[in-house]
Short mmCIF file of all heavy atoms in Angstrom, two decimals:
data_model
loop_
_atom_site.label_atom_id
_atom_site.label_comp_id
_atom_site.label_asym_id
_atom_site.label_seq_id
_atom_site.Cartn_x
_atom_site.Cartn_y
_atom_site.Cartn_z
N ALA J 1 8.27 4.55 -9.08
CA ALA J 1 8.15 5.89 -9.64
C ALA J 1 7.10 6.74 -8.91
O ALA J 1 7.17 7.97 -8.92
CB ALA J 1 7.80 5.82 -11.13
N THR J 2 6.14 6.07 -8.29
CA THR J 2 5.11 6.77 -7.52
C THR J 2 4.97 6.08 -6.16
O THR J 2 5.40 4.95 -5.98
CB THR J 2 3.75 6.76 -8.24
OG1 THR J 2 3.40 5.39 -8.55
CG2 THR J 2 3.81 7.57 -9.54
N ALA J 3 4.35 6.80 -5.22
CA ALA J 3 4.17 6.26 -3.87
C ALA J 3 2.84 6.78 -3.31
O ALA J 3 2.34 7.82 -3.75
CB ALA J 3 5.33 6.68 -2.97
N THR J 4 2.29 6.06 -2.34
CA THR J 4 0.99 6.40 -1.77
C THR J 4 1.05 6.30 -0.25
O THR J 4 1.61 5.34 0.29
CB THR J 4 -0.11 5.46 -2.30
OG1 THR J 4 -0.12 5.52 -3.73
CG2 THR J 4 -1.48 5.83 -1.78
N CYS J 5 0.46 7.28 0.42
CA CYS J 5 0.38 7.22 1.88
C CYS J 5 -0.59 6.11 2.27
O CYS J 5 -1.70 6.03 1.73
CB CYS J 5 -0.09 8.56 2.44
SG CYS J 5 -0.36 8.50 4.24
N THR J 6 -0.19 5.27 3.21
CA THR J 6 -1.03 4.15 3.63
C THR J 6 -2.21 4.60 4.50
O THR J 6 -3.12 3.83 4.76
CB THR J 6 -0.20 3.11 4.42
OG1 THR J 6 0.46 3.77 5.51
CG2 THR J 6 0.85 2.46 3.53
N VAL J 7 -2.19 5.87 4.93
CA VAL J 7 -3.27 6.38 5.80
C VAL J 7 -4.21 7.29 5.01
O VAL J 7 -5.39 6.99 4.82
CB VAL J 7 -2.70 7.12 7.03
CG1 VAL J 7 -3.84 7.69 7.88
CG2 VAL J 7 -1.82 6.18 7.85
N CYS J 8 -3.70 8.41 4.51
CA CYS J 8 -4.58 9.39 3.84
C CYS J 8 -4.71 9.16 2.34
O CYS J 8 -5.50 9.83 1.68
CB CYS J 8 -4.12 10.82 4.12
SG CYS J 8 -2.57 11.28 3.27
N ARG J 9 -3.91 8.22 1.80
CA ARG J 9 -3.97 7.81 0.38
C ARG J 9 -3.54 8.89 -0.59
O ARG J 9 -3.83 8.81 -1.79
CB ARG J 9 -5.37 7.30 0.00
CG ARG J 9 -5.96 6.22 0.89
CD ARG J 9 -5.05 5.04 1.12
NE ARG J 9 -4.77 4.30 -0.11
CZ ARG J 9 -3.85 3.35 -0.22
NH1 ARG J 9 -3.10 3.02 0.83
NH2 ARG J 9 -3.65 2.74 -1.37
N ASN J 10 -2.86 9.93 -0.12
CA ASN J 10 -2.30 10.92 -1.04
C ASN J 10 -1.20 10.27 -1.87
O ASN J 10 -0.46 9.41 -1.38
CB ASN J 10 -1.72 12.11 -0.26
CG ASN J 10 -2.74 13.23 -0.10
OD1 ASN J 10 -3.28 13.73 -1.08
ND2 ASN J 10 -3.00 13.62 1.14
N ASN J 11 -1.10 10.71 -3.12
CA ASN J 11 -0.08 10.18 -4.03
C ASN J 11 1.09 11.15 -4.15
O ASN J 11 0.88 12.37 -4.12
CB ASN J 11 -0.68 9.95 -5.43
CG ASN J 11 -1.76 8.90 -5.41
OD1 ASN J 11 -1.96 8.26 -4.41
ND2 ASN J 11 -2.45 8.74 -6.52
N PHE J 12 2.28 10.59 -4.33
CA PHE J 12 3.49 11.40 -4.43
C PHE J 12 4.44 10.81 -5.47
O PHE J 12 4.40 9.60 -5.72
CB PHE J 12 4.23 11.44 -3.07
CG PHE J 12 3.41 11.93 -1.93
CD1 PHE J 12 2.75 11.02 -1.10
CD2 PHE J 12 3.27 13.28 -1.67
CE1 PHE J 12 1.98 11.46 -0.03
CE2 PHE J 12 2.51 13.74 -0.61
CZ PHE J 12 1.86 12.83 0.21
N PRO J 13 5.32 11.64 -6.06
CA PRO J 13 6.40 11.08 -6.88
C PRO J 13 7.33 10.25 -5.97
O PRO J 13 7.67 10.68 -4.86
CB PRO J 13 7.13 12.32 -7.42
CG PRO J 13 6.18 13.46 -7.21
CD PRO J 13 5.36 13.11 -6.01
N GLY J 14 7.72 9.08 -6.45
CA GLY J 14 8.59 8.22 -5.65
C GLY J 14 9.90 8.88 -5.29
O GLY J 14 10.47 8.63 -4.22
N GLU J 15 10.38 9.75 -6.16
CA GLU J 15 11.67 10.41 -5.96
C GLU J 15 11.66 11.28 -4.70
O GLU J 15 12.71 11.52 -4.10
CB GLU J 15 12.01 11.26 -7.20
CG GLU J 15 13.45 11.68 -7.31
CD GLU J 15 14.45 10.54 -7.37
OE1 GLU J 15 14.09 9.44 -7.86
OE2 GLU J 15 15.59 10.75 -6.90
N ASP J 16 10.46 11.73 -4.27
CA ASP J 16 10.36 12.56 -3.06
C ASP J 16 10.89 11.85 -1.82
O ASP J 16 11.27 12.50 -0.84
CB ASP J 16 8.89 12.95 -2.80
CG ASP J 16 8.38 13.99 -3.79
OD1 ASP J 16 9.14 14.37 -4.70
OD2 ASP J 16 7.21 14.41 -3.66
N PHE J 17 10.88 10.51 -1.85
CA PHE J 17 11.24 9.74 -0.65
C PHE J 17 12.56 8.98 -0.81
O PHE J 17 12.93 8.21 0.07
CB PHE J 17 10.10 8.78 -0.29
CG PHE J 17 8.79 9.51 -0.11
CD1 PHE J 17 7.85 9.55 -1.13
CD2 PHE J 17 8.53 10.21 1.06
CE1 PHE J 17 6.67 10.25 -0.98
CE2 PHE J 17 7.35 10.93 1.21
CZ PHE J 17 6.42 10.95 0.19
N ARG J 18 13.21 9.22 -1.92
CA ARG J 18 14.49 8.54 -2.17
C ARG J 18 15.49 8.81 -1.05
O ARG J 18 16.15 7.89 -0.56
CB ARG J 18 15.06 8.98 -3.51
CG ARG J 18 16.38 8.32 -3.84
CD ARG J 18 17.01 8.91 -5.11
NE ARG J 18 18.26 8.23 -5.36
CZ ARG J 18 18.38 7.08 -6.00
NH1 ARG J 18 17.30 6.48 -6.48
NH2 ARG J 18 19.55 6.50 -6.16
N GLY J 19 15.58 10.07 -0.62
CA GLY J 19 16.55 10.45 0.43
C GLY J 19 16.32 9.67 1.70
O GLY J 19 17.26 9.16 2.32
N ASP J 20 15.05 9.56 2.12
CA ASP J 20 14.72 8.80 3.33
C ASP J 20 15.13 7.34 3.20
O ASP J 20 15.75 6.76 4.10
CB ASP J 20 13.21 8.87 3.62
CG ASP J 20 12.81 10.21 4.22
OD1 ASP J 20 13.70 10.94 4.69
OD2 ASP J 20 11.60 10.51 4.22
N ILE J 21 14.76 6.74 2.06
CA ILE J 21 15.04 5.31 1.88
C ILE J 21 16.54 5.05 1.86
O ILE J 21 17.03 4.10 2.47
CB ILE J 21 14.34 4.80 0.59
CG1 ILE J 21 12.81 4.81 0.81
CG2 ILE J 21 14.81 3.39 0.22
CD1 ILE J 21 11.99 4.54 -0.43
N MET J 22 17.29 5.92 1.18
CA MET J 22 18.75 5.74 1.12
C MET J 22 19.41 5.99 2.48
O MET J 22 20.49 5.48 2.75
CB MET J 22 19.35 6.68 0.07
CG MET J 22 18.98 6.32 -1.35
SD MET J 22 19.51 4.66 -1.80
CE MET J 22 18.22 4.20 -2.96
N ALA J 23 18.73 6.76 3.34
CA ALA J 23 19.25 7.03 4.68
C ALA J 23 18.72 6.03 5.71
O ALA J 23 18.86 6.26 6.92
CB ALA J 23 18.89 8.46 5.09
N ASP J 24 18.13 4.94 5.22
CA ASP J 24 17.59 3.88 6.10
C ASP J 24 16.47 4.38 7.01
O ASP J 24 16.31 3.91 8.13
CB ASP J 24 18.70 3.23 6.94
CG ASP J 24 19.75 2.57 6.08
OD1 ASP J 24 19.37 1.84 5.14
OD2 ASP J 24 20.95 2.79 6.31
N LYS J 25 15.70 5.36 6.50
CA LYS J 25 14.56 5.86 7.26
C LYS J 25 13.27 5.40 6.60
O LYS J 25 13.19 5.31 5.37
CB LYS J 25 14.56 7.40 7.29
CG LYS J 25 15.73 8.01 8.03
CD LYS J 25 15.68 9.53 7.88
CE LYS J 25 16.89 10.19 8.55
NZ LYS J 25 16.93 11.64 8.25
N VAL J 26 12.26 5.11 7.41
CA VAL J 26 10.94 4.80 6.87
C VAL J 26 10.29 6.12 6.45
O VAL J 26 10.17 7.04 7.27
CB VAL J 26 10.07 4.09 7.93
CG1 VAL J 26 8.63 3.93 7.44
CG2 VAL J 26 10.67 2.72 8.29
N PRO J 27 9.88 6.27 5.18
CA PRO J 27 9.32 7.55 4.73
C PRO J 27 7.91 7.80 5.29
O PRO J 27 7.10 6.88 5.38
CB PRO J 27 9.27 7.41 3.20
CG PRO J 27 9.31 5.95 2.94
CD PRO J 27 10.02 5.30 4.08
N HIS J 28 7.67 9.05 5.67
CA HIS J 28 6.36 9.42 6.23
C HIS J 28 5.71 10.52 5.41
O HIS J 28 6.39 11.35 4.80
CB HIS J 28 6.52 9.86 7.69
CG HIS J 28 6.81 8.72 8.62
ND1 HIS J 28 5.83 7.93 9.17
CD2 HIS J 28 8.00 8.21 9.06
CE1 HIS J 28 6.39 7.01 9.93
NE2 HIS J 28 7.71 7.15 9.87
N CYS J 29 4.41 10.51 5.41
CA CYS J 29 3.61 11.44 4.62
C CYS J 29 3.75 12.87 5.15
O CYS J 29 3.60 13.10 6.35
CB CYS J 29 2.15 11.00 4.67
SG CYS J 29 1.01 12.10 3.84
N PRO J 30 4.01 13.84 4.26
CA PRO J 30 4.10 15.23 4.70
C PRO J 30 2.74 15.82 5.07
O PRO J 30 2.67 16.87 5.69
CB PRO J 30 4.68 15.94 3.47
CG PRO J 30 4.31 15.08 2.32
CD PRO J 30 4.28 13.68 2.82
N VAL J 31 1.66 15.10 4.73
CA VAL J 31 0.31 15.59 5.02
C VAL J 31 -0.19 15.08 6.36
O VAL J 31 -0.64 15.85 7.21
CB VAL J 31 -0.68 15.19 3.90
CG1 VAL J 31 -2.10 15.67 4.23
CG2 VAL J 31 -0.22 15.74 2.55
N CYS J 32 -0.07 13.74 6.57
CA CYS J 32 -0.67 13.17 7.80
C CYS J 32 0.31 12.38 8.66
O CYS J 32 -0.08 11.83 9.67
CB CYS J 32 -1.86 12.28 7.42
SG CYS J 32 -1.36 10.68 6.75
N THR J 33 1.55 12.27 8.21
CA THR J 33 2.65 11.53 8.88
C THR J 33 2.50 10.00 8.82
O THR J 33 3.25 9.28 9.46
CB THR J 33 2.86 11.95 10.36
OG1 THR J 33 1.80 11.45 11.17
CG2 THR J 33 2.98 13.47 10.49
N GLY J 34 1.51 9.51 8.06
CA GLY J 34 1.41 8.06 7.87
C GLY J 34 2.60 7.54 7.09
O GLY J 34 3.34 8.30 6.45
N VAL J 35 2.80 6.22 7.12
CA VAL J 35 3.90 5.61 6.36
C VAL J 35 3.55 5.67 4.87
O VAL J 35 2.43 5.35 4.46
CB VAL J 35 4.13 4.15 6.79
CG1 VAL J 35 5.16 3.47 5.89
CG2 VAL J 35 4.60 4.09 8.24
N VAL J 36 4.51 6.10 4.07
CA VAL J 36 4.33 6.16 2.62
C VAL J 36 4.94 4.91 1.99
O VAL J 36 6.10 4.58 2.25
CB VAL J 36 4.99 7.42 2.03
CG1 VAL J 36 4.92 7.39 0.50
CG2 VAL J 36 4.30 8.67 2.55
N LYS J 37 4.15 4.21 1.19
CA LYS J 37 4.61 2.97 0.56
C LYS J 37 4.75 3.18 -0.95
O LYS J 37 3.83 3.67 -1.60
CB LYS J 37 3.58 1.87 0.83
CG LYS J 37 3.83 0.56 0.10
CD LYS J 37 2.69 -0.42 0.41
CE LYS J 37 2.56 -1.51 -0.61
NZ LYS J 37 2.16 -1.07 -1.95
N PRO J 38 5.92 2.86 -1.51
CA PRO J 38 6.04 2.90 -2.98
C PRO J 38 4.94 2.05 -3.60
O PRO J 38 4.47 1.08 -2.98
CB PRO J 38 7.42 2.29 -3.23
CG PRO J 38 8.18 2.53 -1.96
CD PRO J 38 7.16 2.40 -0.86
N ASP J 39 4.53 2.38 -4.81
CA ASP J 39 3.40 1.68 -5.44
C ASP J 39 3.82 0.34 -6.03
O ASP J 39 3.56 0.02 -7.20
CB ASP J 39 2.76 2.58 -6.50
CG ASP J 39 2.03 3.76 -5.88
OD1 ASP J 39 1.60 3.64 -4.71
OD2 ASP J 39 1.90 4.80 -6.56
N ILE J 40 4.46 -0.47 -5.19
CA ILE J 40 4.79 -1.86 -5.50
C ILE J 40 3.60 -2.71 -5.07
O ILE J 40 3.05 -2.51 -4.00
CB ILE J 40 6.06 -2.31 -4.74
CG1 ILE J 40 7.25 -1.37 -5.04
CG2 ILE J 40 6.41 -3.76 -5.04
CD1 ILE J 40 7.63 -1.29 -6.49
#
Protein backbone atom coordinates (compact mmCIF):
# COMPACT_ATOMS: atom_id res chain seq x y z
CA ALA A 1 0.00 0.00 0.00
CA THR A 2 2.99 2.29 0.52
CA ALA A 3 6.49 2.49 -0.95
CA THR A 4 9.79 4.20 -0.08
CA CYS A 5 12.67 5.41 -2.21
CA THR A 6 15.81 3.45 -1.32
CA VAL A 7 17.95 6.58 -1.84
CA CYS A 8 16.14 9.74 -0.67
CA ARG A 9 13.66 7.86 1.60
CA ASN A 10 10.64 9.76 0.30
CA ASN A 11 7.36 7.91 0.86
CA PHE A 12 4.72 7.32 -1.81
CA PRO A 13 1.37 5.55 -2.20
CA GLY A 14 2.08 2.08 -3.59
CA GLU A 15 -0.54 2.58 -6.28
CA ASP A 16 1.70 5.26 -7.88
CA PHE A 17 4.02 2.49 -9.11
CA ARG A 18 1.50 -0.16 -10.04
CA GLY A 19 1.77 0.73 -13.75
CA ASP A 20 5.54 0.28 -13.76
CA ILE A 21 5.40 -3.04 -11.92
CA MET A 22 2.67 -4.41 -14.20
CA ALA A 23 4.73 -3.30 -17.22
CA ASP A 24 7.77 -5.25 -15.91
CA LYS A 25 9.65 -2.02 -15.15
CA VAL A 26 11.65 -1.32 -12.01
CA PRO A 27 9.96 1.74 -10.42
CA HIS A 28 12.09 4.85 -9.90
CA CYS A 29 11.66 7.82 -7.60
CA PRO A 30 10.20 10.95 -9.23
CA VAL A 31 12.37 13.04 -6.88
CA CYS A 32 15.85 11.50 -7.15
CA THR A 33 15.45 8.58 -9.64
CA GLY A 34 16.48 6.02 -7.00
CA VAL A 35 14.78 2.62 -6.99
CA VAL A 36 11.47 2.69 -5.12
CA LYS A 37 10.78 -0.37 -2.97
CA PRO A 38 7.29 -1.30 -1.73
CA ASP A 39 7.20 -1.30 2.07
CA ILE A 40 7.58 -5.08 2.29
